Amino acid sequence: MTAPPLKPTVTEREARQVAEAAREQDWRKPSFAKELFLGRFRLDLIHPHPKPPEDDARRGEEFLAKLRDFCETQIDGARIEREARIPDEVIDGLKDLGALGMKIDTKYGGLGLTQVYYNKALAMVGTASPAVGALLSAHQSIGVPQPVKIFGTQEQKEAFLPRCARTDISAFLLTEPDVGSDPARLATTAVPDGDSYVLDGVKLWTTNGVVADLLVVMARVPVSEGHKGGITAFVVEAASEGITVENRNAFMGLRGLENGVTRFHRVRVPAANRIGPEGAGLKIALTTLNTGRLSLPAMCVGAGKWCLQIAREWSSVREQWGRPIARHEAVGSKISFMAATTFALEAVVDLASQMADEDRNDIRIEAALAKLYGSEMAWTIADELVQIRGGRGFETADSLAARGERAVPTEQLLRDLRINRIFEGSTEIMHLLIAREAVDAHLSVAGDLIDPDKSLGDKGKAAARAGGFYARWLPKLVAGPGQLPRSYSEFNPAGHADLSVHVRYVERTARKLARSTFYAMSRWQGRMETKQGFLGRIVDIGAELFAMSAACVRAEMLRAGGENGREAYQLADVFCRQARIRVEELFGRLWSNTDDIDGKLVKGVLNGAYTWLEDGVVDPSGEGPWIADATPGPSAKENVHRPFR
């Protein structure tokens, strides 16, 4: 066997081609968010708010009751934080409860919960211990169960799903020391050898990898006779000969996270363990994340709820200048933001989750927006709680308890939440991913016009195609129901806040957003993809509009069902008013910003023009390379793999 080059060298264009090939190219189902970015407000796709079938809701609520008791009596979050370990008995209890198989079908030994109740469970567990929540999420949202469920053969489902439902913990291995969001440079190889593949390489940040029994591994199969090659997904037994967990990584937060560095040296994997065809690994990973990403914002919802509770209780007893601090506007505005935003985050996650369960809409953009928006807003909520708590917010829970006060782990939550802006696609990558999907319709009809490799004939055909599309599309962006004062009157019931004004705003603003995107494409054409600041703001506006839509629809659902309707309307109203201010600011920054001069300054920084600005400090960093050597070969380190048994 002759392995291909260890570190593939790829151009920027080749990297984009790999990413593009991994995308789902077709839109076989409608998408509310996709239509929103095109200036079409398809309220009918989300209103009336979808609801789970009664039997699913009953089973879900029954499990949540058991899980709540377990969280309150068996999970000691403070102990996990101190010891940086999840105790074996907690894992055993989760297994007995069936929590490892929440999303796995009952015929394979799982609980068969819906996405809605799976996310509610993660939100609850995450408040007891974010590390436990991360373990369950990594196992079921992106680990072995989800890709095998979607892409696996019947034999693979029968072999692996029962194990994942009750006994085995799984992990997902994609990232490498020198490969993050650019998988075209993936260096781990899987060389065909008879009825097996031989894996070599190093994987970094393998969440659950330290304790996992089963792994989903992405590796590059070289092109050869009878083998298409490409990045491919495999299910690998973690105890296989040649696998070494070389390090258990330690982080700012999530101290109980079992995340490590895993080395593969001549690891033999049966061809029967390959998920899907060769070359389909990235598409499998991205498709898995379409719904898998919802677990992260679900835990952000849980964090928001807890922050709101602590802010309410603390701000009503802590007095300054003769009255509780909540009665002072500076603090009260923070609490208002926390309450309104938590309501919106839950609205976004529940709506996207229910849409995933119904499976009548394509939710790839909705899930990505939920992840992006949830991670950013939850971090801000937690930061505001630290500010409200003052010095106590900066103090650890153990220190508070040692001097006789309530052990509130505010600073821990801030540390734990910080990774969510990086996990499963950083905010910057999510901006680009969502922006690509948002302009998909434009590239489908006019992409050849800006492709330098296309012939004049292809460009001519694209011009004709684009002309027809825009002749039909652009006139529809001029006017719509958002300009009619009585549109969406169902969101203006007597005795409640008027949400119809916000729904009309979303409709009008969606058209404005689409016009702005079209203008930018006309202005920059092929350079559009380099305008990452502009694209990020476009996506952020879309995220706010989606959250406003979800909040209004949820408020109306609660009102119609007799569940705190008046209060829900008030929360939605305040959130929408706050969101509208952010949207208008983002629109202003589309065209009035420092993007160009920022770029010039960065060039100077990188060229060393401002090194004098760094004088007068010392660097406390240790020695060593910026990126660890990941040359394949046998491990020289002790194996720290320790599966729960």
Side-chain angles (χ1 to χ4, degrees):
M1 297 181 296
T2 302
L6 300 178
K7 291 187 177 181
T9 301
V10 296
T11 65
E12 182 179 354
R13 182 172 180 80
E14 289 170 336
R16 288 199 304 269
Q17 289 173 340
V18 169
E20 188 65 18
R23 283 182 60 247
E24 289 185 73
Q25 303 292 329
D26 300 325
W27 292 87
R28 292 182 292 272
K29 299 174 184 176
S31 165
F32 174 80
K34 175 177 178 286
E35 294 293 303
L36 197 67
F37 280 107
L38 284 170
R40 299 191 285 245
F41 182 51
R42 290 287 309 277
L43 184 62
D44 60 295
L45 294 178
I46 62 172
H47 175 67
H49 193 295
K51 295 181 180 180
E54 288 186 8
D55 185 58
D56 288 343
R58 178 186 55 77
R59 292 190 301 108
E61 293 294 341
E62 288 175 354
F63 176 73
L64 288 181
K66 297 176 184 176
L67 184 64
R68 173 178 290 278
D69 179 69
F70 182 83
C71 289
E72 291 177 341
T73 61
Q74 303 301 316
I75 298 180
D76 185 345
R79 175 187 173 188
I80 293 172
E81 175 72 2
R82 284 193 302 271
E83 299 178 358
R85 286 276 194 276
I86 300 173
D88 288 9
E89 57 267 26
V90 171
I91 301 299
D92 290 340
L94 291 170
K95 291 179 179 179
D96 292 341
L97 203 59
L100 295 188
M102 287 186 282
K103 285 190 68 180
I104 298 175
D105 196 288
T106 54
K107 65 182 177 182
Y108 299 113
L111 298 181
L113 297 185
T114 63
Q115 185 74 37
V116 168
Y117 279 96
Y118 169 67
N119 285 341
K120 289 181 182 295
L122 289 179
M124 183 183 295
V125 172
T127 54
S129 167
V132 177
L135 181 142
L136 290 175
S137 173
H139 166 64
Q140 293 173 84
S141 298
I142 58 175
V144 170
Q146 192 69 5
V148 167
K149 172 185 174 181
I150 301 174
F151 297 99
T153 64
Q154 186 58 40
E155 291 76 15
Q156 289 171 336
K157 293 175 183 177
E158 293 174 354
F160 299 123
L161 292 184
R163 292 171 57 183
C164 291
R166 291 291 176 181
T167 58
D168 290 13
I169 292 173
S170 67
F172 173 76
L173 281 64
L174 171 63
T175 304
E176 298 177 359
D178 198 27
V179 179
S181 298
D182 181 12
R185 300 174 60 251
L186 196 81
T188 298
T189 58
V191 180
D193 183 28
D195 60 356
S196 300
Y197 291 83
V198 178
L199 272 60
D200 283 278
V202 178
K203 294 294 185 179
L204 176 64
W205 296 324
T206 59
T207 298
N208 288 1
V210 178
V211 297
D213 305 284
L214 288 171
L215 315 171
V216 175
V217 182
M218 297 293 166
R220 183 183 301 278
V221 177
V223 177
S224 62
E225 184 177 353
H227 291 276
K228 175 185 176 182
I231 298 173
T232 306
F234 300 89
V235 178
V236 181
E237 298 282 352
S240 299
E241 183 178 354
I243 297 181
T244 305
V245 178
E246 295 188 330
N247 193 64
R248 182 182 186 269
N249 302 323
F251 301 98
M252 172 196 295
L254 293 181
R255 290 180 175 168
L257 195 69
E258 298 292 352
N259 178 294
V261 177
T262 303
R263 177 178 292 271
F264 296 84
H265 177 58
R266 298 177 183 173
V267 178
R268 188 167 291 275
V269 179
N273 284 24
R274 187 188 70 218
I275 308 175
E278 290 181 356
L282 285 183
K283 181 165 287 189
I284 289 172
L286 290 177
T287 303
T288 298
L289 281 172
N290 281 345
T291 54
R293 279 198 177 98
L294 290 173
S295 62
L296 192 150
M299 287 187 280
C300 289
V301 169
K305 287 173 176 283
W306 181 80
C307 286
L308 180 60
Q309 176 188 335
I310 297 300
R312 173 179 56 80
E313 294 178 355
W314 165 249
S315 299
S316 63
V317 299
R318 171 63 166 167
E319 291 191 358
Q320 291 279 273
W321 300 299
R323 51 181 171 161
I325 59 173
R327 301 297 182 185
H328 293 283
E329 188 176 274
V331 174
S333 63
K334 296 180 186 299
I335 296 174
S336 173
F337 164 77
M338 295 167 70
T341 305
T342 296
F343 177 81
L345 291 185
E346 185 170 36
V348 165
V349 172
D350 275 11
L351 178 61
S353 300
Q354 189 58 56
M355 292 167 74
D357 287 331
E358 286 191 335
D359 199 28
R360 61 184 177 89
N361 291 328
D362 187 320
I363 67 156
R364 73 183 86 161
I365 301 182
E366 286 84 349
L369 287 173
K371 188 275 177 191
L372 169 69
Y373 198 72
S375 61
E376 290 292 332
M377 286 303 197
W379 163 261
T380 304
I381 289 172
D383 188 55
E384 294 286 38
L385 178 62
V386 169
Q387 194 70 17
I388 291 172
R389 288 274 290 160
R392 291 173 173 84
F394 193 66
E395 192 173 1
T396 67
D398 281 350
S399 178
L400 289 165
R403 58 184 186 79
E405 291 195 3
R406 181 173 171 180
V408 183
T410 310
E411 60 82 31
Q412 179 193 334
L413 181 68
L414 195 65
R415 289 188 287 101
D416 289 342
L417 283 175
R418 185 59 182 84
I419 188 58
N420 292 340
R421 298 169 65 197
I422 301 171
F423 260 170
E424 297 179 16
S426 68
T427 291
E428 294 72 23
I429 291 300
M430 296 306 297
H431 276 148
L432 299 181
L433 184 153
I434 297 168
R436 173 61 186 86
E437 299 294 357
V439 301
D440 184 58
H442 300 283
L443 294 180
S444 296
V445 299
D448 288 354
L449 282 172
I450 58 177
D451 190 335
D453 293 338
K454 294 298 181 180
S455 66
L456 288 176
D458 289 335
K459 290 180 182 292
K461 294 177 182 177
R465 193 165 57 243
F469 172 78
Y470 290 119
R472 295 187 302 271
W473 179 67
L474 285 171
K476 297 178 181 178
L477 300 183
V478 176
Q483 292 164 294
L484 303 176
R486 298 190 180 183
S487 294
Y488 311 113
S489 58
E490 66 268 35
F491 292 93
N492 186 19
H496 293 69
D498 183 5
L499 298 185
S500 67
V501 296
H502 304 309
V503 180
R504 289 195 293 272
Y505 176 86
V506 172
E507 195 279 334
R508 293 194 307 273
T509 309
R511 286 186 282 112
K512 180 180 178 181
L513 181 63
R515 292 194 302 268
S516 299
T517 305
F518 173 74
Y519 173 72
M521 291 189 67
S522 303
R523 176 179 175 180
W524 291 312
Q525 298 184 32
R527 293 186 297 126
M528 178 80 158
E529 65 182 23
T530 69
K531 301 296 181 179
Q532 295 180 358
F534 177 89
L535 292 172
R537 295 174 198 115
I538 286 288
V539 170
D540 285 341
I541 292 170
E544 295 283 5
L545 297 181
F546 177 45
M548 290 175 67
S549 304
C552 291
V553 169
R554 180 176 181 80
E556 173 56 20
M557 177 190 69
L558 294 176
R559 185 200 67 81
E563 302 177 65
N564 304 307
R566 186 169 285 100
E567 294 79 11
Y569 258 67
Q570 183 180 17
L571 286 164
D573 178 49
V574 173
F575 171 76
C576 288
R577 292 178 186 275
Q578 295 172 352
R580 288 170 69 161
I581 294 172
R582 293 191 292 267
V583 167
E584 294 305 314
E585 179 186 354
L586 286 165
F587 268 116
R589 290 173 56 210
L590 286 180
W591 313 111
S592 179
N593 54 64
T594 60
D595 292 350
D596 290 341
I597 60 173
D598 288 344
K600 293 176 183 177
L601 181 60
V602 167
K603 288 181 181 179
V605 171
L606 296 181
N607 291 335
Y610 310 108
T611 53
W612 53 268
L613 190 59
E614 301 164 10
D615 292 345
V617 299
V618 295
D619 183 359
S621 306
E623 299 295 325
W626 287 105
I627 299 173
D629 179 40
T631 303
S635 178
K637 296 186 177 181
E638 177 188 356
N639 189 359
V640 296
H641 182 228
R642 55 173 200 89
F644 293 108
R645 290 299 182 197

